[in-house]
Amino acid sequence: MAVQLPYQLEQIAELTGHEDRVWNVAWNPVKRILASCSADKSVRLYTYPHTLPPSKESDGRAAFSLLNTIQTGHTRTVRSVGWSPSGTSLATASFDGGIGIWEQEPPEDDEMDVDEVTLRERIRPDDWECMSTLEGHESECKSAAYSPSGNLLATCGRDKTVWIWEGYPDSDFAVQSVLMEHSQDVKCVAWHPVEEILASASYDDTIKLYYDDPDDEWYCFQTLTGHGSTVWSTAWSPTKSYLASSSDDKTVRVWKRVEQFKWECVLVLGGHTRSIYSVSWGPGKPSEKEGNLGWIASCDGDGNILVWELEEPTEGGATSPPKHRIIAQMESAHGVCDVNSISWNTKPGYEDILATGGDDCMLRVWRVV
Amino acid sequence: QPAGRKSDFSGESLWIDEKVETHDDTDEVEPIDAEEIYGLIRTIYDPEHPNTLEELRIVSLPQINVNKNHVRIEFTPTIPHCGASTQLGLSIRVRLLRSLPARFKVDIYVKPGSHVSEHALNKQLNDKERVAAALENQALLSSVEQTLRAFSGRV
């Protein structure tokens, strides 16, 4: 490494078991569970201890253990997994065109002595069952994401559409809207962390933003253009006003909210050498520093992971770029293989933990040290 | 074992023959040059003709570039409206996926100006998700297999 960076990525777990490329990894927002999905049509769930072993401890690599394997019944690749905000439901999006909704049986009532938080975070070994299968997409589904309230599920796919489903009790879902704004495959959907605003990224090189007009229905209020090729992934900032996107053009773009319904590109981050398949935006290490925008992590087809630290600009107008610097990087993160997915753990106390999934059929967990 | 690659490709690729002659030191990185890549793809059949890509001058040695672990291949469709170009590019990709060591990253393009849908073709052939989905399509996969069938007697 030519430049001395303030942090390093230390691998704390290396998880094998998938029999084909890992497409996506997702941390449960409430329970200590990491989910992954693969071209082998399965989902694997791993759990980890309250306290991850300290750095440099070699047996730290064994801290993660397999909790469940879900043989999904999807007939083709499971492309992505998305947790509900409560951490109780998991949605799978498959190339077979279907969306699966997975849950465990609710816990027995005789656990009244346990407080609510413990109950919510409790990890149970029970099987995950398919509660519902949502059919509607004409071809490959590529992404599924629950809204911040957990009431809505967004899905997208190669049929160029974005679907918004409304959830009812007993895992019943009704279609609320089918958005046909993109001219090509839709690769990824991501909800704003608080508001019911949805972003979709596409093979048509654009990102579209949607809002549910209370008087009317879902509509696209802005198309973000600027990327020179397919947009693979998008992630909202934990501070809510920014959006990051990663592209086949080898850049990550950062978009800032300048009006209630207007985002503008304020920053283009280079440094990757091949298609950037995934981007994740975490809060970073808890900081007293004012204007801390957290950490952006991204991964590419050459096996690189880059981590940037961003800060609100202290001078200039509304569209001046955030202060930014690369704070850590890892080459050949999955050996010679592509890294397809990257995700920050968002649970409090675990903000410096990253997971990646790659073409080497593995998941790897990293800590920023 | 990396996805999409068969470590023990049982087909009749040229690669397997050449590999037998190389010594067994797995730690050593075997250098691979454009000529070897050409050897792998020239015998692919055109989906619409009884000829190989070499015979139809769809691929040629100067159109192959190898830089460390990156391979860039350009091919020239027979006509600018050639409807089989996507499949042809896919056949090249599959042959290389199965034959080259995992460290190689392959980019496939049509020769600039040689096809009416040049941009769309290039994009499709280099989108790994599209390629992965296409290879899960049994009908498409068997027509790709057809173009990769054993070549008859000419080496």
Side-chain angles (χ1 to χ4, degrees):
Chain A
M1 210 179 293
V3 188
Q4 192 60 42
L5 298 174
Y7 297 103
Q8 287 185 344
L9 290 176
E10 178 188 62
Q11 183 176 299
I12 58 169
E14 190 176 272
L15 306 170
T16 58
H18 277 300
E19 288 164 7
D20 207 330
R21 70 159 55 106
V22 177
W23 271 115
N24 193 217
V25 292
W27 296 96
N28 186 302
V30 179
K31 302 170 198 285
R32 285 173 286 106
I33 299 175
L34 172 64
S36 62
C37 64
S38 159
D40 70 10
K41 308 177 186 76
S42 77
V43 167
R44 290 172 78 87
L45 302 175
Y46 298 88
T47 184
Y48 51 97
H50 269 293
T51 311
L52 287 166
S55 310
K56 308 292 178 198
E57 200 169 286
S58 57
D59 60 359
R61 284 169 178 243
F64 283 69
S65 57
L66 183 69
L67 185 65
N68 295 91
T69 303
I70 305 174
Q71 299 301 342
T72 61
H74 282 300
T75 56
R76 296 180 57 188
T77 286
V78 182
R79 176 64 181 89
S80 89
V81 280
W83 289 104
S84 66
S86 64
T88 55
S89 296
L90 182 73
T92 50
S94 166
F95 282 177
D96 70 8
I99 302 291
I101 305 294
W102 304 84
E103 286 177 16
Q104 289 179 304
E105 287 291 318
E108 301 289 331
D109 284 342
D110 59 5
E111 301 189 81
M112 296 302 282
D113 54 324
V114 180
D115 70 276
E116 208 176 303
V117 175
T118 311
L119 204 56
R120 205 154 38 110
E121 296 186 357
R122 172 165 292 173
I123 294 161
R124 292 176 296 125
D126 316 31
D127 283 340
W128 290 73
E129 290 166 30
C130 184
M131 308 300 285
S132 194
T133 307
L134 314 185
E135 307 279 355
H137 282 285
E138 282 171 19
S139 48
E140 295 100 270
C141 283
K142 304 198 166 179
S143 172
Y146 279 95
S147 69
S149 67
N151 293 331
L152 301 174
L153 180 73
T155 61
C156 65
R158 190 180 147 202
D159 63 6
K160 306 172 189 174
T161 63
V162 171
W163 290 49
I164 294 173
W165 310 77
E166 190 172 4
Y168 293 97
D170 300 324
S171 300
D172 232 5
F173 283 83
V175 180
Q176 200 176 72
S177 189
V178 178
L179 299 154
M180 294 182 277
E181 298 288 334
H182 284 292
S183 62
Q184 294 290 340
D185 313 20
V186 190
K187 297 289 197 186
C188 174
V189 280
W191 290 94
H192 185 277
V194 184
E195 296 170 60
E196 281 190 347
I197 290 176
L198 181 72
S200 63
S202 167
Y203 187 86
D204 69 10
D205 307 353
T206 73
I207 300 148
K208 296 201 181 258
L209 300 176
Y210 314 85
Y211 174 68
D212 184 11
D213 184 341
D215 303 325
D216 197 14
E217 34 185 56
W218 284 91
Y219 73 104
C220 171
F221 66 84
Q222 196 183 3
T223 301
L224 304 179
T225 57
H227 276 299
S229 191
T230 299
V231 189
W232 280 102
S233 164
T234 61
W236 296 88
S237 72
T239 54
K240 307 169 188 72
S241 55
Y242 290 89
L243 177 73
S245 55
S246 79
S247 165
D248 181 52
D249 70 8
K250 302 173 193 143
T251 69
V252 169
R253 281 180 176 254
V254 178
W255 315 78
K256 183 184 184 182
R257 189 177 210 167
V258 290
E259 289 169 25
Q260 191 186 0
F261 291 115
K262 193 176 174 199
W263 270 258
E264 258 183 48
C265 182
V266 289
L267 186 59
V268 180
L269 300 169
H272 281 284
T273 52
R274 247 175 124 71
S275 236
I276 311 171
Y277 292 122
S278 178
V279 63
S280 178
W281 198 331
K285 280 189 177 161
S287 158
E288 298 293 307
K289 217 190 293 177
E290 211 177 314
N292 172 33
L293 290 174
W295 290 344
I296 292 179
S298 51
C299 59
D300 72 24
D302 261 341
N304 298 302
I305 299 174
L306 290 178
V307 181
W308 281 274
E309 181 179 71
L310 274 78
E311 248 181 78
E312 287 284 9
T314 44
E315 48 195 43
T319 57
S320 59
K323 290 190 225 164
H324 58 280
R325 58 172 184 157
I326 291 182
I327 57 162
Q329 74 172 57
M330 177 58 67
E331 289 172 8
S332 307
H334 284 249
V336 295
C337 295
D338 297 14
V339 189
N340 298 319
S341 178
I342 194 160
S343 182
W344 289 108
N345 190 334
T346 53
K347 276 173 65 62
Y350 299 89
E351 295 93 342
D352 55 352
I353 305 293
L354 258 181
T356 54
D359 273 3
D360 57 357
C361 313
M362 293 221 243
L363 283 81
R364 294 172 196 269
V365 184
W366 311 85
R367 176 167 21 211
V368 179
V369 292
Chain B
Q1 177 189 341
R5 295 169 203 263
K6 292 186 178 171
S7 59
D8 261 324
F9 178 50
S10 53
E12 293 78 3
S13 120
L14 272 175
W15 177 246
I16 222 79
D17 299 329
E18 294 175 13
K19 205 174 183 179
V20 174
E21 294 163 19
T22 63
H23 47 105
D24 237 348
D25 188 358
T26 44
D27 287 343
E28 194 174 308
V29 176
E30 304 161 30
I32 287 174
D33 59 16
E35 232 160 291
E36 279 181 273
I37 307 268
Y38 185 55
L40 290 168
I41 62 172
R42 68 190 177 93
T43 55
I44 297 171
Y45 278 90
D46 184 280
E48 292 179 327
H49 302 90
N51 306 90
T52 65
L53 303 192
E54 179 181 37
E55 289 164 349
L56 295 168
R57 295 175 202 281
I58 291 170
V59 293
S60 67
L61 186 56
Q63 287 177 293
I64 299 169
N65 197 305
V66 184
N67 182 4
K68 281 184 200 156
N69 296 333
H70 293 104
V71 178
R72 186 196 156 96
I73 294 173
E74 230 173 66
F75 69 97
T76 315
T78 45
I79 48 165
H81 292 86
C82 178
S85 296
T86 309
Q87 200 198 317
L88 219 149
L90 202 56
S91 292
I92 295 175
R93 185 167 286 289
V94 171
R95 166 66 47 94
L96 296 180
L97 269 174
R98 291 176 179 176
S99 311
L100 290 178
R103 66 177 191 275
F104 282 93
K105 311 281 180 184
V106 179
D107 294 314
I108 300 173
Y109 301 97
V110 294
K111 186 185 176 190
S114 70
H115 199 279
V116 285
S117 309
E118 182 181 327
H119 177 72
L121 265 173
N122 289 343
K123 199 165 187 182
Q124 207 169 357
L125 290 173
N126 294 298
D127 180 305
K128 73 182 279 184
E129 189 180 47
R130 284 267 189 119
V131 170
L135 296 180
E136 283 185 350
N137 177 331
Q138 279 311 314
L140 189 52
L141 185 61
S142 36
S143 55
V144 165
E145 297 289 3
Q146 266 300 304
T147 67
L148 300 179
R149 67 189 182 271
F151 57 98
S152 49
R154 286 166 293 105
V155 181

